[in-house]
Amino acid sequence: MNFKNAFLGIFASALLLASCSNDDTTENKMPLGAYDKGVIVLNEGNFGTPNGSVSFISNEYAVINNIFGIENSNKPLGDVVQSLSFSEDKAFIVVNNSNTVEVVNRYTFKSIATITDQIKNPRYSVVLNGKLYVTNAKTKSVNVYDAKTYNFLEVIAVNKVVEKIITANGKLYITNGAYGSGTSVTVINPQINNAMSTITVENGVNAIEEKSGSVYVLSGNAEKSKLYKINTTNDTATAIESTVLKNAKNMDIDGEKIYYTVGNNAYVMALNATSFSEAPLFSIPDGGYFTFYAFNVIDGKIYSANVNGFTAAGTVKIFSSTGAELKSVTVGMGPNGFYSNN
């Protein structure tokens, strides 16, 4: 046997494997588009005017405003950019007062399609098993579309307020409340002919999140605040409450922590907490109804928006998980939500 040739062969193979490994690592780290590796900010704009927009904040806090317009020949996005959901490489942008859902590539923000069929005052959306579900305030129903072709498939009549919508355990969970009122969550099981049931919660339901297969729902009113944890196997709920903290809202879950707001204060508690934390993490200036108009926690950073009375560009302040202010940046008119694009 020629040991010299055998050694050279092994050495060459090792180099080839190392090269492929390095290439794979480099490829995996490459951004998928100009708006990868950062946070998408929705700016609803002025009601009645099609000046809603989208901003991008990179993980290094660089800001690019009006990215939809930039990437689509200054095409207007629409009137009241309400919410956004992701599915694979697509983003579905719900534009409330324009009665549209704009479909874009989530990393390049190039327009793919505009959904208008049967849209009636849309609020929120989610994708489950290849279908796009959109809540419609005017018809109190959920529209169903093919998430690949964007064709309208059916309407699910709920016959009560339909607002935020999430998925958990193969089902849809929809808050039946808006603007400080509402006492239930509707559960729809698409796998059983859209079988529907209702979970009763405290008046003032305003936030809903999924974590590790469970659904968390926050309600707040002038008397108390309650946080529910729903077992999605049997859709039963347990709750904790506080009569000290009232009108809690803006719940978001990051890691093993739940963040929420009361007035102009932000709070945090453990995911498995048995009582609300009543010591503020940090405070912002009181802006009345517009206080914490947007509030999300992404990868340990807290994003808060000031809409500046809808008379000027919005201001976003970014805080650490301990409440220290990290950065303040300017975005579009009326920022109302933050979405991780990492």
Side-chain angles (χ1 to χ4, degrees):
M1 179 177 181
N2 190 325
F3 289 99
K4 179 179 179 181
N5 289 341
F7 174 77
L8 289 174
I10 294 170
F11 182 69
S13 297
L15 285 177
L16 179 60
L17 287 172
S19 176
C20 290
S21 176
N22 288 338
D23 287 346
D24 290 343
T25 302
T26 302
E27 183 178 345
N28 290 337
K29 289 183 178 180
M30 288 292 289
L32 298 173
Y35 310 111
D36 188 15
K37 313 300 183 187
V39 173
I40 301 296
V41 186
L42 293 194
N43 307 299
E44 64 185 56
N46 293 110
F47 180 80
T49 306
N51 63 346
S53 67
V54 182
S55 299
F56 176 75
I57 304 174
S58 76
N59 292 333
E60 292 75 36
Y61 310 126
V63 179
I64 305 174
N65 288 316
N66 191 33
I67 63 175
F68 180 84
I70 289 172
E71 300 299 339
N72 296 287
S73 303
N74 293 318
K75 175 185 175 182
L77 181 53
D79 183 3
V80 184
V81 179
Q82 177 67 40
S83 62
L84 177 150
S85 62
F86 292 125
S87 177
E88 298 177 345
D89 62 347
K90 297 181 181 67
F92 296 87
I93 308 170
V94 176
V95 189
N96 174 265
N97 207 38
S98 291
N99 292 310
T100 60
V101 176
E102 191 71 38
V103 188
V104 301
N105 180 289
R106 66 186 288 179
Y107 304 113
T108 67
F109 258 73
K110 296 291 186 182
S111 180
I112 297 171
T114 303
I115 302 172
T116 60
D117 193 8
Q118 307 297 316
I119 298 287
K120 305 290 183 181
N121 199 210
R123 300 294 294 168
Y124 293 85
S125 68
V126 72
V127 174
L128 175 63
N129 296 331
K131 295 180 180 179
L132 171 70
Y133 295 83
V134 182
T135 58
N136 285 262
K138 188 172 183 178
T139 57
K140 296 183 178 180
S141 63
V142 179
N143 284 0
V144 188
Y145 301 85
D146 187 304
K148 300 291 186 182
T149 67
Y150 321 118
N151 291 330
F152 174 76
L153 300 177
E154 63 177 318
V155 61
I156 304 172
V158 179
N159 297 318
K160 61 181 72 174
V161 174
V162 287
E163 185 73 352
K164 296 178 179 178
I165 181 170
I166 65 167
T167 68
N169 196 20
K171 293 180 281 189
L172 304 167
Y173 291 78
I174 305 162
T175 56
N176 304 130
Y179 309 112
S181 65
T183 60
S184 64
V185 172
T186 292
V187 185
I188 298 174
N189 190 339
Q191 301 175 60
I192 312 177
N193 298 319
N194 295 330
M196 199 176 305
S197 60
T198 300
I199 300 171
T200 301
V201 296
E202 183 71 28
N203 187 39
V205 59
N206 63 70
I208 187 166
E209 294 286 331
E210 184 275 340
K211 177 67 177 180
S212 301
S214 296
V215 170
Y216 295 80
V217 178
L218 181 67
S219 295
N221 56 46
E223 296 181 355
K224 65 181 68 173
S225 296
K226 294 191 76 169
L227 176 71
Y228 295 83
K229 181 180 181 180
I230 299 172
N231 180 326
T232 59
T233 300
N234 54 24
D235 291 326
T236 58
T238 56
I240 60 174
E241 71 171 59
S242 172
T243 55
V244 174
L245 296 181
K246 303 171 183 180
N247 288 310
K249 58 181 182 179
N250 288 323
M251 176 189 64
D252 204 2
I253 298 175
D254 187 58
E256 298 300 310
K257 295 180 179 179
I258 299 175
Y259 296 80
Y260 53 98
T261 69
V262 178
N264 63 328
N265 297 318
Y267 299 80
V268 62
M269 63 181 171
L271 189 66
N272 61 354
T274 56
S275 62
F276 277 86
S277 171
E278 296 173 352
L281 184 63
F282 66 90
S283 302
I284 64 171
D286 190 352
Y289 174 79
F290 299 125
T291 305
F292 285 119
Y293 198 75
F295 178 89
N296 295 95
V297 188
I298 299 171
D299 298 332
K301 295 177 183 177
I302 305 167
Y303 293 76
S304 169
N306 185 338
V307 297
N308 294 319
F310 288 92
T311 60
T315 304
V316 170
K317 288 187 179 295
I318 306 168
F319 300 85
S320 72
S321 59
T322 59
E325 184 174 332
L326 301 174
K327 192 73 175 178
S328 178
V329 298
T330 300
V331 294
M333 177 78 71
N336 66 8
F338 304 97
Y339 303 82
S340 174
N341 211 22
N342 288 311

